[in-house]
Amino acid sequence: MASSDDEAETLPVPPVSNYHFVDHKEEPISFSILPIKWDEGERLEGSQEPVFLHGTVDNGLQKVYKQVTAWRFNISGSKPEISVLSKENVWITLQKPRKSFEDTIRTILITVHCLHALKRNPDTSSKSLWDLLAKTFSLYEV
């Protein structure tokens, strides 16, 4: 059975790694400029400049280039998860960013990881929190 291009667009996208975001001028930007979508029923209002996700899936075997319209984060699992909503209304999970893009989104990544740690253990000391964040982001250049 043959499938159309429209059907292929609605299939889930595997988690994207080695990613970065650009605006319509191909300038790097943070996905945090997009609106946060807190729940599925929420409607996104207003026009905004287009934002595009560049990255790879399947261990770098396939490239991804999608326009995205919103983002969300989930801190209830064993690891925090950040996703972006494609223009086709499909959520795309983000994994490791492109090395040159890490500095652009460092603040938002640290914030989400901090929220995740505090949700799991609200009584943690500030030293323990800093130690955990330092360990989590030790691979990132400072």
Side-chain angles (χ1 to χ4, degrees), residues 14-64:
V16 175
S17 58
N18 198 30
Y19 67 85
H20 67 283
F21 293 85
V22 295
D23 61 14
H24 65 286
K25 297 176 189 171
E26 291 294 314
E27 295 289 326
I29 56 172
S30 174
F31 60 83
S32 64
I33 68 160
L34 295 169
I36 293 179
K37 189 161 183 180
W38 295 107
D39 63 58
E40 290 302 319
E42 182 181 4
R43 293 182 51 132
L44 300 173
E45 303 272 335
S47 65
Q48 51 186 294
E49 294 294 321
V51 175
F52 300 92
L53 165 67
H54 289 268
T56 59
V57 296
D58 298 329
N59 292 324
L61 296 176
Q62 187 177 3
K63 291 187 178 190
V64 171

Coordinates of all heavy atoms in Angstrom, one line a residue, residues 14-64:
P14 N 11.3 10.6 15.3 CA 12.1 10.1 16.4 C 12.8 11.3 17.1 O 12.9 12.4 16.6 CB 13.2 9.3 15.7 CG 12.6 9.0 14.3 CD 11.7 10.1 14.0
P15 N 13.4 11.1 18.3 CA 14.1 12.2 19.0 C 15.2 12.8 18.1 O 15.9 12.0 17.5 CB 14.6 11.5 20.3 CG 13.7 10.3 20.5 CD 13.3 9.9 19.1
V16 N 15.3 14.1 18.2 CA 16.3 14.8 17.3 C 17.5 15.1 18.2 O 17.4 15.6 19.3 CB 15.6 16.1 16.8 CG1 16.7 16.9 16.0 CG2 14.5 15.7 15.9
S17 N 18.7 14.9 17.6 CA 19.9 15.2 18.3 C 20.7 16.1 17.3 O 20.3 16.3 16.2 CB 20.7 14.0 18.7 OG 21.0 13.2 17.6
N18 N 21.8 16.6 17.9 CA 22.7 17.5 17.1 C 21.9 18.6 16.5 O 22.1 19.0 15.3 CB 23.5 16.7 16.0 CG 24.7 17.5 15.5 OD1 25.3 18.3 16.2 ND2 25.0 17.2 14.3
Y19 N 21.0 19.2 17.3 CA 20.0 20.2 16.7 C 20.4 21.6 17.0 O 21.3 21.9 17.9 CB 18.6 19.9 17.3 CG 18.5 20.2 18.8 CD1 18.3 21.5 19.3 CD2 18.7 19.2 19.7 CE1 18.2 21.7 20.6 CE2 18.6 19.4 21.1 CZ 18.4 20.7 21.5 OH 18.3 20.9 22.9
H20 N 19.8 22.5 16.2 CA 19.9 23.9 16.5 C 18.6 24.5 15.8 O 18.0 23.9 15.0 CB 21.2 24.5 15.9 CG 21.3 24.5 14.5 ND1 21.7 23.4 13.7 CD2 21.2 25.5 13.5 CE1 21.7 23.7 12.5 NE2 21.4 25.0 12.3
F21 N 18.3 25.8 16.2 CA 17.2 26.5 15.7 C 17.6 27.7 15.0 O 18.6 28.4 15.4 CB 16.2 26.9 16.8 CG 15.5 25.7 17.4 CD1 16.2 25.0 18.5 CD2 14.3 25.2 17.0 CE1 15.6 23.9 19.0 CE2 13.7 24.2 17.6 CZ 14.3 23.5 18.6
V22 N 17.0 28.1 13.9 CA 17.3 29.3 13.2 C 16.0 30.0 12.8 O 14.9 29.4 12.8 CB 18.1 29.0 11.8 CG1 19.4 28.4 12.1 CG2 17.3 28.1 10.9
D23 N 16.1 31.3 12.6 CA 15.0 32.1 12.2 C 14.9 32.2 10.6 O 15.7 31.4 10.0 CB 15.1 33.6 12.7 CG 16.3 34.3 12.3 OD1 17.0 33.9 11.3 OD2 16.6 35.4 12.9
H24 N 14.1 33.0 10.1 CA 13.9 33.0 8.6 C 15.1 33.5 7.9 O 15.3 33.4 6.7 CB 12.6 33.8 8.2 CG 12.7 35.3 8.6 ND1 12.7 35.7 9.9 CD2 13.0 36.4 7.8 CE1 12.8 37.0 9.9 NE2 13.0 37.5 8.7
K25 N 16.1 34.2 8.6 CA 17.3 34.7 8.0 C 18.5 33.7 8.2 O 19.6 34.0 8.0 CB 17.7 36.0 8.7 CG 16.7 37.1 8.4 CD 17.1 38.3 9.2 CE 16.1 39.4 9.1 NZ 16.4 40.5 10.0
E26 N 18.1 32.5 8.8 CA 19.1 31.4 9.1 C 20.1 31.8 10.2 O 21.2 31.3 10.3 CB 19.9 31.0 7.8 CG 19.1 30.3 6.8 CD 18.6 28.9 7.2 OE1 19.4 28.1 7.8 OE2 17.4 28.6 7.0
E27 N 19.6 32.8 11.1 CA 20.4 33.2 12.2 C 20.0 32.2 13.4 O 18.8 32.0 13.6 CB 20.1 34.6 12.6 CG 20.5 35.6 11.6 CD 22.0 35.8 11.5 OE1 22.6 35.7 12.5 OE2 22.5 36.0 10.4
P28 N 21.0 31.8 14.2 CA 20.7 30.9 15.3 C 19.9 31.7 16.4 O 20.1 32.8 16.7 CB 22.1 30.6 15.9 CG 23.1 31.0 14.9 CD 22.4 32.0 14.0
I29 N 18.9 31.0 16.9 CA 18.0 31.5 17.9 C 17.6 30.4 18.9 O 17.7 29.2 18.6 CB 16.7 32.2 17.4 CG1 15.9 31.1 16.5 CG2 17.0 33.4 16.6 CD1 14.6 31.6 16.1
S30 N 17.2 30.8 20.1 CA 16.8 29.8 21.1 C 15.3 29.5 20.8 O 14.5 30.3 20.5 CB 16.9 30.4 22.5 OG 16.4 29.5 23.4
F31 N 14.9 28.2 21.1 CA 13.5 27.8 21.0 C 12.7 28.5 22.0 O 11.5 28.5 21.9 CB 13.4 26.3 21.0 CG 13.9 25.7 22.3 CD1 13.1 25.6 23.4 CD2 15.2 25.1 22.4 CE1 13.6 25.1 24.6 CE2 15.6 24.5 23.5 CZ 14.8 24.5 24.6
S32 N 13.3 29.0 23.1 CA 12.6 29.7 24.1 C 11.8 30.9 23.7 O 11.0 31.4 24.4 CB 13.5 30.0 25.3 OG 14.4 30.9 25.0
I33 N 12.1 31.4 22.5 CA 11.3 32.6 22.0 C 9.9 32.1 21.5 O 9.0 32.9 21.4 CB 12.0 33.3 20.9 CG1 12.1 32.5 19.6 CG2 13.4 33.8 21.3 CD1 12.4 33.3 18.4
L34 N 9.8 30.8 21.3 CA 8.5 30.3 21.0 C 7.6 30.3 22.2 O 8.1 30.2 23.3 CB 8.6 28.8 20.4 CG 9.4 28.7 19.1 CD1 9.7 27.2 18.9 CD2 8.6 29.2 18.0
P35 N 6.3 30.3 22.0 CA 5.4 30.2 23.1 C 5.4 28.8 23.7 O 5.6 27.8 23.0 CB 4.0 30.5 22.5 CG 4.1 30.2 21.1 CD 5.5 30.5 20.7
I36 N 5.3 28.7 25.1 CA 5.1 27.4 25.7 C 3.7 27.0 25.6 O 2.8 27.7 25.9 CB 5.5 27.5 27.2 CG1 7.0 27.9 27.4 CG2 5.2 26.2 28.0 CD1 7.5 28.0 28.8
K37 N 3.5 25.7 25.3 CA 2.2 25.1 25.2 C 2.0 24.3 26.4 O 2.6 23.2 26.5 CB 2.0 24.3 23.9 CG 0.6 23.9 23.7 CD 0.3 23.5 22.3 CE -1.2 23.2 22.1 NZ -1.5 22.8 20.8
W38 N 1.2 24.8 27.4 CA 1.0 24.1 28.6 C 0.1 22.9 28.6 O 0.3 21.9 29.3 CB 0.5 25.1 29.7 CG 1.5 26.2 30.0 CD1 1.4 27.5 29.6 CD2 2.7 26.1 30.7 NE1 2.5 28.2 30.0 CE2 3.3 27.3 30.7 CE3 3.4 25.0 31.3 CZ2 4.5 27.6 31.3 CZ3 4.6 25.3 31.9 CH2 5.2 26.5 31.9
D39 N -0.9 22.9 27.7 CA -1.7 21.7 27.6 C -2.2 21.6 26.1 O -2.2 22.6 25.4 CB -2.9 21.8 28.6 CG -3.9 22.9 28.3 OD1 -4.4 23.1 27.2 OD2 -4.1 23.7 29.3
E40 N -2.7 20.4 25.8 CA -3.1 20.1 24.4 C -4.2 21.0 23.9 O -4.3 21.3 22.7 CB -3.4 18.6 24.2 CG -2.2 17.7 24.4 CD -1.1 18.0 23.3 OE1 -1.4 18.3 22.2 OE2 0.0 18.0 23.7
G41 N -5.1 21.4 24.8 CA -6.3 22.2 24.4 C -6.0 23.6 24.1 O -6.8 24.3 23.6
E42 N -4.8 24.1 24.6 CA -4.5 25.5 24.5 C -4.3 25.9 23.0 O -3.6 25.2 22.3 CB -3.2 25.7 25.3 CG -2.8 27.1 25.3 CD -1.5 27.3 26.1 OE1 -0.9 26.3 26.6 OE2 -1.0 28.4 26.3
R43 N -4.8 27.0 22.6 CA -4.6 27.6 21.3 C -3.5 28.6 21.3 O -3.4 29.4 22.2 CB -5.9 28.2 20.8 CG -7.0 27.2 20.5 CD -8.2 27.9 20.0 NE -7.8 28.7 18.8 CZ -8.4 28.8 17.7 NH1 -9.5 28.0 17.5 NH2 -8.0 29.5 16.7
L44 N -2.6 28.5 20.3 CA -1.6 29.5 20.2 C -2.0 30.7 19.4 O -2.6 30.6 18.4 CB -0.4 28.9 19.5 CG 0.2 27.6 20.2 CD1 1.3 27.0 19.3 CD2 0.8 28.0 21.5
E45 N -1.9 31.9 20.0 CA -2.4 33.1 19.5 C -1.3 33.9 18.8 O -0.1 33.8 19.2 CB -3.0 34.0 20.6 CG -4.1 33.3 21.3 CD -5.5 33.5 20.7 OE1 -5.7 34.4 20.0 OE2 -6.3 32.6 20.9
G46 N -1.7 34.8 17.9 CA -0.8 35.7 17.3 C 0.2 35.2 16.2 O 0.4 34.0 16.2
S47 N 0.7 36.1 15.4 CA 1.6 35.7 14.4 C 3.0 35.9 15.0 O 3.3 36.8 15.8 CB 1.4 36.5 13.1 OG 1.7 37.8 13.4
Q48 N 3.9 35.1 14.5 CA 5.3 35.2 15.0 C 6.2 34.9 13.8 O 5.8 34.3 12.8 CB 5.5 34.2 16.2 CG 5.1 32.8 15.8 CD 5.2 31.9 17.0 OE1 6.3 31.6 17.5 NE2 4.1 31.4 17.5
E49 N 7.5 35.3 14.0 CA 8.4 35.0 12.9 C 8.6 33.4 12.9 O 8.6 32.8 13.9 CB 9.8 35.6 13.3 CG 9.7 37.1 13.2 CD 9.5 37.6 11.8 OE1 10.0 37.1 10.8 OE2 8.7 38.6 11.6
P50 N 8.8 32.9 11.7 CA 9.0 31.4 11.7 C 10.3 31.0 12.3 O 11.3 31.7 12.2 CB 9.0 31.1 10.2 CG 9.2 32.4 9.5 CD 8.8 33.5 10.4
V51 N 10.3 29.9 13.0 CA 11.4 29.3 13.6 C 11.6 27.8 13.0 O 10.6 27.1 12.9 CB 11.3 29.2 15.1 CG1 12.4 28.5 15.8 CG2 11.1 30.6 15.7
F52 N 12.8 27.5 12.7 CA 13.1 26.2 12.1 C 14.0 25.4 12.9 O 15.0 25.9 13.4 CB 13.6 26.4 10.7 CG 12.7 27.1 9.8 CD1 12.8 28.5 9.7 CD2 11.7 26.5 9.0 CE1 11.9 29.2 8.8 CE2 10.8 27.2 8.2 CZ 10.9 28.6 8.1
L53 N 13.7 24.1 13.0 CA 14.6 23.1 13.7 C 15.4 22.4 12.7 O 14.9 21.9 11.7 CB 13.7 22.1 14.4 CG 14.4 20.8 14.9 CD1 15.4 21.1 16.0 CD2 13.3 19.8 15.4
H54 N 16.7 22.4 12.9 CA 17.7 21.6 12.1 C 18.2 20.5 13.0 O 18.6 20.9 14.2 CB 18.9 22.4 11.6 CG 18.5 23.4 10.6 ND1 18.7 23.1 9.2 CD2 18.1 24.7 10.6 CE1 18.4 24.2 8.5 NE2 18.0 25.2 9.4
G55 N 18.4 19.3 12.6 CA 19.0 18.3 13.4 C 19.1 17.0 12.7 O 18.9 16.9 11.5
T56 N 19.4 15.9 13.5 CA 19.5 14.6 12.9 C 18.7 13.6 13.7 O 18.5 13.8 14.9 CB 20.9 14.1 12.7 OG1 21.5 14.1 14.0 CG2 21.7 15.0 11.8
V57 N 18.3 12.5 13.1 CA 17.6 11.4 13.8 C 18.3 10.1 13.4 O 19.2 10.1 12.4 CB 16.1 11.3 13.5 CG1 15.4 12.5 14.0 CG2 15.8 11.1 12.0
D58 N 18.0 9.0 14.0 CA 18.6 7.7 13.7 C 20.1 7.8 13.7 O 20.8 7.4 12.8 CB 18.1 7.2 12.3 CG 16.6 7.0 12.3 OD1 16.1 6.7 13.3 OD2 16.1 7.2 11.2
N59 N 20.7 8.3 14.8 CA 22.1 8.4 15.0 C 22.8 9.1 13.9 O 23.9 8.7 13.4 CB 22.7 7.0 15.2 CG 22.3 6.4 16.5 OD1 22.2 7.0 17.5 ND2 22.1 5.1 16.5
G60 N 22.2 10.2 13.4 CA 22.8 11.0 12.4 C 22.6 10.6 11.0 O 23.1 11.2 10.0
L61 N 21.8 9.5 10.8 CA 21.6 9.0 9.4 C 20.6 9.8 8.6 O 20.7 9.7 7.4 CB 21.1 7.5 9.5 CG 22.1 6.5 10.1 CD1 21.5 5.1 10.2 CD2 23.4 6.5 9.3
Q62 N 19.7 10.5 9.3 CA 18.7 11.2 8.6 C 18.6 12.7 9.1 O 18.7 12.9 10.3 CB 17.4 10.5 8.7 CG 16.3 11.1 7.9 CD 15.0 10.4 8.1 OE1 14.9 9.4 8.9 NE2 13.9 10.8 7.4
K63 N 18.6 13.6 8.2 CA 18.5 15.0 8.6 C 17.0 15.4 8.8 O 16.1 14.9 8.1 CB 19.1 15.9 7.6 CG 20.6 15.8 7.5 CD 21.3 16.8 6.6 CE 22.8 16.6 6.7 NZ 23.5 17.6 6.0
V64 N 16.8 16.4 9.7 CA 15.5 16.9 10.0 C 15.5 18.4 9.8 O 16.5 19.1 10.2 CB 15.0 16.6 11.4 CG1 13.8 17.3 11.8 CG2 14.9 15.1 11.6

